[in-house]
Amino acid sequence: MKRRYFGTDGIRGQSNVFPMTPDLAMRVGIAVGTIFRRGTHRNRVVIGKDTRLSGYMLENAMVAGFTAAGVDAFVLGPIPTPAVAMLTRSLRADIGVMISASHNPYQDNGIKLFGPDGYKLSDELEMQIEAMLEHDGLPQLAKASDIGHAKRVDGVHDRYIEHAKRTLPRDVTLHGLRVVIDCANGAAYRVAPAALWELGADVVTIGTDPNGTNINLECGSTHPDALRRKVDEVRADIGIALDGDADRVQIVDENGKLIDGDQLMAVIAETWAADGMLKGGGLVATVMSNLGLERFLKSKKLGLHRTQVGDRYVVEHMRQNEFNVGGEQSGHIVLSDFGTTGDGLVAALQVLACVKRSGRPVSEVCNRFEPVPQVLKNVRISGGKPLEDAAVLAAIAEAENVLSKNGRLLIRPSGTEPLIRVMAEGDDHAKVERIVDELIGVIGSVRSAA
């Protein structure tokens, strides 16, 4: 069965446009509630959201769907995605829901689903939900006496703040560090500054005044210029940028230089290895992570295990092979000792602990390796299968041969747009750029001919 609703990270789209309509949200609630309604106990769902204007609409629709299916709904309000995963387990819920489109603009929204263990749902469960959504009729609704209750839960922010703080040893404080935190006007606008302040940091905030339409707007992990300016203005030791639902993080050092997820994973993995905490003999990342990270880990006798793009695939590999550090170059960092999904705040706290313990500036602590020159370009397609064309295959084989000894080539269709992404990396930047441009040209000519 072809997927119609679920993508690589739940259901996502423009608000009030199919599939991201209140009708669909209610039907998802009914379908998921029916699937997870087990036994004679009162089944529970926890529902969180970010700060988008459409979140109110979708939240109410999902509450209606779940209660119609006989599931009690615990409504959390604006709170980070990792907090929803944590509270799903803590509140002994059967399902967790996060209403968010992550780093997308406010016009978009999405639905992320978690099982009772706090992990995102399997492909099999998503397909089961898809099948129910495609069915013309509704599943069997609960009897009038069995309709679910809805309750807004208080104190959830404090519970998540305490959870985040407990990922650090009790003797670690952030006294003496001036930290700028950019919450992207998103889900972490209350919890992230509070956690840093309670740990002793001198906290300067930006992106903490959400109005429903300014989430990720020229702020947050995908727009770090505002953070750079504020770090320079207040002479901060570090800048931390979260995205709209706070499951990813980027860091800016005291000089304003951006530090991506690859460097952050290197810092955490090396530190944890030295402390005897690292499991699996290395870390898990995607095919997009820089070759420099792989070389650095190899120099430390640690391994880099790559998966396809998507944090769910990273988590899946971590679970199957007992790793406890993984993530993506974009800043999704999963530390499975502390959570089941990417957690921007927790990852940032681990880096801050390294900075504090070393007594060195962030620019030194987080400069673990020199990135290998990497070039990524896209070519738009209008249909067909250009990657199966003989001329394209021959050009790819030639490029791989050129890069085989000291580089990497990655070509893949986008999962969300009609694009083919061409990425190459190697020690000679000019050569890498030439290879990418040549491949783009070949793929483009095939597309034009078609």
Side-chain angles (χ1 to χ4, degrees), residues 178-202:
R178 175 168 290 180
V179 179
V180 178
I181 178 74
D182 180 354
C183 297
N185 292 312
Y189 78 99
R190 289 177 59 183
V191 294
L196 292 166
W197 178 81
E198 290 184 20
L199 286 166
D202 176 7

Side-chain angles (χ1 to χ4, degrees), residues 211-273:
N211 62 13
T213 63
N214 62 359
I215 186 171
N216 300 314
L217 181 62
E218 297 181 358
C219 59
S221 63
T222 51
H223 301 89
D225 286 345
L227 180 63
R228 286 193 178 105
R229 291 193 296 270
K230 183 59 72 171
V231 166
D232 179 66
E233 176 190 331
V234 302
R235 300 179 183 276
D237 299 292
I238 188 172
I240 300 168
L242 306 174
D243 68 339
D245 67 334
D247 66 352
R248 73 164 70 180
V249 63
Q250 298 276 12
I251 281 178
V252 167
D253 70 16
E254 74 279 6
N255 302 314
K257 181 181 177 182
L258 186 66
I259 300 163
D260 67 13
D262 284 348
Q263 293 282 4
L264 301 183
M265 286 188 287
V267 171
I268 295 169
E270 184 183 17
T271 303
W272 283 20

Side-chain angles (χ1 to χ4, degrees), residues 388-428:
E388 297 179 9
D389 182 86
V392 173
L393 292 172
I396 291 173
E398 182 179 350
E400 287 176 335
N401 184 56
V402 172
L403 290 170
S404 60
K405 292 185 179 179
N406 55 10
R408 248 181 1 116
L409 178 68
L410 175 66
I411 301 177
R412 65 182 184 89
S414 167
T416 57
E417 301 176 83
L419 301 173
I420 290 177
R421 306 192 191 280
V422 180
M423 188 276 283
E425 56 185 0
D427 297 314
D428 186 334

Side-chain angles (χ1 to χ4, degrees), residues 108-406:
D108 295 341
N109 217 326
I111 298 171
K112 303 181 184 183
L113 298 168
F114 298 90
D117 56 3
Y119 287 98
K120 292 178 181 177
L121 301 188
S122 66
D123 290 338
E124 292 75 20
L125 274 170
E126 288 185 350
M127 294 306 292
Q128 189 177 348
I129 296 165
E130 289 251 0
M132 294 183 72
L133 293 176
E134 288 288 82
H135 196 271
D136 289 338
L138 289 172
Q140 184 66 45
L141 300 181
K143 296 183 297 184
S145 58
D146 294 332
I147 291 173
H149 300 272
K151 176 182 179 181
R152 190 163 294 276
V153 183
D154 297 323
V156 292
H157 296 104
D158 295 333
R159 293 173 74 161
Y160 175 67
I161 290 168
E162 195 61 29
H163 162 77
K165 288 164 53 183
R166 285 181 178 177
T167 65
L168 298 182
R170 288 188 62 84
D171 61 342
V172 173
T173 74
L174 303 182
H175 289 291
L177 289 179
R178 175 168 290 180
V179 179
V180 178
I181 178 74
D182 180 354
C183 297
N185 292 312
Y189 78 99
R190 289 177 59 183
V191 294
L196 292 166
W197 178 81
E198 290 184 20
L199 286 166
D202 176 7
V203 182
V204 179
T205 62
I206 59 176
T208 54
D209 190 22
N211 62 13
T213 63
N214 62 359
I215 186 171
N216 300 314
L217 181 62
E218 297 181 358
C219 59
S221 63
T222 51
H223 301 89
D225 286 345
L227 180 63
R228 286 193 178 105
R229 291 193 296 270
K230 183 59 72 171
V231 166
D232 179 66
E233 176 190 331
V234 302
R235 300 179 183 276
D237 299 292
I238 188 172
I240 300 168
L242 306 174
D243 68 339
D245 67 334
D247 66 352
R248 73 164 70 180
V249 63
Q250 298 276 12
I251 281 178
V252 167
D253 70 16
E254 74 279 6
N255 302 314
K257 181 181 177 182
L258 186 66
I259 300 163
D260 67 13
D262 284 348
Q263 293 282 4
L264 301 183
M265 286 188 287
V267 171
I268 295 169
E270 184 183 17
T271 303
W272 283 20
D275 292 343
M277 292 174 56
L278 189 67
K279 299 173 185 175
L283 61 84
V284 182
T286 75
V287 291
M288 296 303 296
S289 279
N290 194 273
L291 184 59
L293 172 61
E294 187 173 332
R295 292 174 176 175
F296 167 79
L297 292 170
K298 186 176 181 181
S299 73
K300 301 296 179 181
K301 295 183 171 53
L302 299 173
L304 175 63
H305 295 247
R306 295 184 184 269
T307 73
Q308 66 188 93
V309 174
D311 65 303
R312 65 182 298 166
Y313 303 109
V314 171
V315 172
E316 182 179 294
H317 191 88
M318 291 174 67
R319 295 181 73 186
Q320 290 174 351
N321 299 279
E322 298 184 350
F323 287 83
N324 62 346
V325 177
E328 296 185 279
Q329 192 180 56
S330 62
H332 278 117
I333 298 178
V334 182
L335 305 174
S336 60
D337 287 356
F338 307 130
T340 56
T341 188
D343 192 324
L345 176 59
V346 168
L349 291 180
Q350 303 309 305
V351 174
L352 284 167
C354 296
V355 171
K356 184 68 176 177
R357 187 165 67 173
S358 71
R360 295 182 291 135
V362 175
S363 57
E364 294 182 17
V365 173
C366 294
N367 186 25
R368 285 301 207 262
F369 63 88
E370 190 66 31
V372 172
Q374 187 181 85
V375 177
L376 171 65
K377 296 185 180 182
N378 301 322
V379 56
R380 187 166 292 274
I381 59 174
S382 56
K385 298 180 179 179
L387 295 184
E388 297 179 9
D389 182 86
V392 173
L393 292 172
I396 291 173
E398 182 179 350
E400 287 176 335
N401 184 56
V402 172
L403 290 170
S404 60
K405 292 185 179 179
N406 55 10

